[in-house]
Amino acid sequence: MGSPKSRSALERLGHDVRNARLRRGVAVADLAARAGTSASTVARLEKGDPGVGIGTLADVLVAMGLVERLADLLDTRKDDLGLALAAEQLPRRGKSFAAKLRRQETQGHKAQQDETDVVDPDGAAF
């Protein structure tokens, strides 16, 4: 299940979770109790099992005091490709407020012309 790249990334993530737990001197069972999950789920997370839910990962990170790292996982301010694509879609030049008013006046003038009464030769208005 999943691509080799995603499998490798999950294994690295699991390894990092394990290292963080060991540095804190916390047993798997204690971390599981703090995170509200089972010891086997924590062990699966540390092995990079793709079946472990992201909510479980978040709970484990909260228990270790690292939840802010999850929030920074996909920081759009650091997404170079996304920022470049968004910059390409920006208008080349800005439109002034005065230009917007002129356009509205022109459209209003055309609407008034369309609404004028049409008089037929007999003098009846429509």
Side-chain angles (χ1 to χ4, degrees), residues 28-51:
V28 172
D30 292 337
L31 180 58
R34 291 179 192 171
T37 190
S38 67
S40 63
T41 300
V42 171
R44 288 178 36 228
L45 175 64
E46 290 183 353
K47 290 179 183 174
D49 183 344

Side-chain angles (χ1 to χ4, degrees), residues 11-59:
E11 288 171 1
R12 270 194 332 266
L13 176 65
H15 185 261
D16 291 344
V17 168
R18 182 176 190 276
N19 283 340
R21 177 183 59 79
L22 291 175
R23 286 184 185 147
R24 287 162 175 71
V26 178
V28 172
D30 292 337
L31 180 58
R34 291 179 192 171
T37 190
S38 67
S40 63
T41 300
V42 171
R44 288 178 36 228
L45 175 64
E46 290 183 353
K47 290 179 183 174
D49 183 344
V52 177
I54 193 167
T56 301
L57 171 62
D59 291 338

